């Protein structure tokens, strides 16, 4: 008997700076109700799904910055999401900026039966920590967030082994492998990826290619579904890529967004499709050689071999 999980990805179009939490939550609820019409068990929203992508601005005023963070989850503004999901019998993944005491994190949660069953705080923070006015726009995640302190946890929920990641994490094979070693079957991740990368504009034309490349590789090499969901379109003058997709353990994309707006994608994910990969080419217990991988955890930056005299 196959294990089918119907997964919806709720791609979001731009969120304007002036948009309120209540207005955004209303958009999320519209997509959740649409997901229910497709019998979805799980809906995945993007990274920082409650506000505009604020790391694009340099802010010195702490109060201005704090306005983008959630100090409680659910709050009065996000409670309707929890209540509606519970009523519909649907789990959801939500990305948001979290303030925990004096610490700030870029966070994602998995909510099942109206309860938070998994929390992840973004580990790979891209961009820079200081104001760099030469850029067309800032990417100040290194300033506004601490490195996540929860690792890459996997939990059993919605009938599957589920893990979370956030945006830049998807470019790093370690993200998937740490979860692969916990027998992950579905990784949900949201992203905000500007089309233009100021330090390397030569990559701009390849943004969608790299997006698909890394998520398909991560899915195949770790025998897991990957659900990658964008916030996209022109947000406060900055174009962000779409390309939201659901990828099977074969590495094949089985559902994909076609717009740069609020758009639901849906796939019936047979979790048993993981099995042939987990038991053959990616049978980790049989084939991995961790004794040869020590540099992965002992070295951060690349050091070239010594030049021969
Ligand atoms: N949000 C996020 O992590 N975005 C990065 C942008 C590229 S680096 C500045 C990403 O990896 O998509």
């Amino acid at each position: 008997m196959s294990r089918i999980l119907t997964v919806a990805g709720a791609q979001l179009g731009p969120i304007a700076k002036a948009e309120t939490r209540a207005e955004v939550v209303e958009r999320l609820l519209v997509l959740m109700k649409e997901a229910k019409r497709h019998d979805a068990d799980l809906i995945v929203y993007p990274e920082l799904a409650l506000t505009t992508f604020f790391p694009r601005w340099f802010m010195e005023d702490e109060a201005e910055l704090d306005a983008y963070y959630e100090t409680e989850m659910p709050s009065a503004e996000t409670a309707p999401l929890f209540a509606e999901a519970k009523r519909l019998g649907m789990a959801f993944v939500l990305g948001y900026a979290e303030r925990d005491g004096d610490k700030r994190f870029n966070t994602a949660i998995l909510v099942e039966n109206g309860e938070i069953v998994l929390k992840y705080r973004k580990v790979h923070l891209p961009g820079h920590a200081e104001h760099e006015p030469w850029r067309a726009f800032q990417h100040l995640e290194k300033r506004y967030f601490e490195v996540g302190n929860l690792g890459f946890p996997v939990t059993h929920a919605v009938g599957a082994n589920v893990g979370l990641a956030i945006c830049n994490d998807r470019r790093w094979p370690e993200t998937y492998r740490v979860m692969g070693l916990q027998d992950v079957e579905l990784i949900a991740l949201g992203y905000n990826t500007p089309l233009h990368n100021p330090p390397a504009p030569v990559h701009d034309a390849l943004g969608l290619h790299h997006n698909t490349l890394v998520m398909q590789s991560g899915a195949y090499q770790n025998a897991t579904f990957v659900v990658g969901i964008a916030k996209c379109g022109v947000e406060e003058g900055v174009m962000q890529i779409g390309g939201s997709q659901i990828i099977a353990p074969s590495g094949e994309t089985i559902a994909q967004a076609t717009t740069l707006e609020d758009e639901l994608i849906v796939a019936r994910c047979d979790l048993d499709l993981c099995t042939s990969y987990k038991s053959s080419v990616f049978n980790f217990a049989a084939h991995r050689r961790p004794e040869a991988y020590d540099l992965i955890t002992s070295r951060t930056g690349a050091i070239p071999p010594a030049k021969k005299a």
Side-chain angles (χ1 to χ4, degrees):
M1 204 176 78
S2 54
R3 289 186 297 146
I4 302 290
L5 186 72
T6 301
V7 179
Q11 177 174 282
L12 293 180
I15 297 179
K17 194 176 184 181
E19 214 164 327
T20 65
R21 296 280 201 294
E23 288 168 331
V24 175
V25 167
E26 191 48 46
R27 283 169 62 181
L28 304 185
L29 286 170
V30 167
L31 289 160
M32 186 181 280
K33 286 170 192 155
E34 188 182 343
K36 186 63 191 175
R37 291 196 287 277
H38 290 272
D39 276 334
D41 303 300
L42 170 69
I43 182 168
V44 179
Y45 297 108
E47 172 191 34
L48 300 176
L50 296 173
T51 66
T52 198
F53 188 73
F54 62 91
R56 74 169 63 92
W57 293 292
F58 177 63
M59 287 174 264
E60 289 179 292
D61 179 351
E62 290 281 306
E64 184 188 2
L65 180 62
D66 273 340
Y68 290 104
Y69 293 77
E70 312 302 312
T71 52
E72 48 177 0
M73 186 58 68
S75 61
E77 288 145 319
T78 51
L81 211 51
F82 283 66
E84 186 65 1
K86 190 170 181 182
R87 192 182 74 80
L88 297 175
M90 199 183 303
F92 68 91
V93 170
L94 178 73
Y96 63 98
E98 177 192 9
R99 176 118 198 212
D100 181 13
D102 60 351
K103 295 193 187 316
R104 298 179 171 114
F105 297 101
N106 188 340
T107 296
I109 49 171
L110 169 63
V111 177
E112 186 179 32
N113 297 324
E115 302 291 331
I116 298 172
V117 294
L118 183 63
K119 179 184 273 194
Y120 167 71
R121 289 168 168 164
K122 188 175 183 180
V123 166
H124 299 103
L125 298 174
H128 48 109
E130 302 304 324
H131 190 205
E132 297 186 4
W134 62 268
R135 291 172 181 257
F137 49 86
Q138 304 296 294
H139 199 112
L140 286 158
E141 288 196 61
K142 285 194 194 302
R143 184 180 191 88
Y144 297 151
F145 301 114
E146 306 218 9
V147 173
N149 56 2
L150 302 174
F152 290 99
V154 170
T155 194
H156 191 77
V158 296
N161 297 337
V162 182
L164 306 173
I166 301 177
C167 195
N168 192 261
D169 289 322
R170 77 195 188 285
R171 304 187 191 278
W172 300 92
E174 295 87 347
T175 297
Y176 304 91
R177 183 48 51 90
V178 171
M179 291 191 269
L181 287 167
Q182 297 169 76
D183 205 26
V184 74
E185 295 172 307
L186 187 141
I187 296 173
L189 67 92
Y191 57 92
N192 281 264
T193 298
L195 183 63
H196 173 52
N197 183 14
V202 70
H203 300 175
D204 293 0
L206 299 169
L208 281 170
H209 168 63
H210 291 155
N211 182 53
T212 301
L213 176 72
V214 292
M215 294 195 296
Q216 289 186 340
S217 309
Y220 169 64
Q221 292 170 343
N222 295 280
T224 180
F225 285 86
V226 170
V227 184
I229 304 301
K231 174 144 67 60
C232 57
V234 181
E235 189 179 85
E236 297 294 344
V238 176
M239 172 58 94
Q240 300 190 163
I241 67 165
S244 301
Q245 56 197 283
I246 301 174
I247 301 161
S250 59
E252 295 167 290
T253 294
I254 54 174
Q256 182 155 13
T258 56
T259 71
L260 293 173
E261 299 164 3
D262 290 10
E263 178 182 346
L264 198 79
I265 59 172
V266 181
R268 290 176 79 248
C269 299
D270 179 355
L271 298 166
D272 286 339
L273 288 176
C274 301
T275 307
S276 70
Y277 295 92
K278 287 187 189 295
S279 61
S280 63
V281 63
F282 296 119
N283 179 339
F284 290 169
H287 305 306
R288 289 185 75 252
R289 290 285 166 245
E291 67 274 16
Y293 310 151
D294 67 299
L295 282 185
I296 297 286
T297 53
S298 63
R299 185 181 286 184
T300 306
I303 301 174
K307 291 215 169 63
K308 301 219 168 44

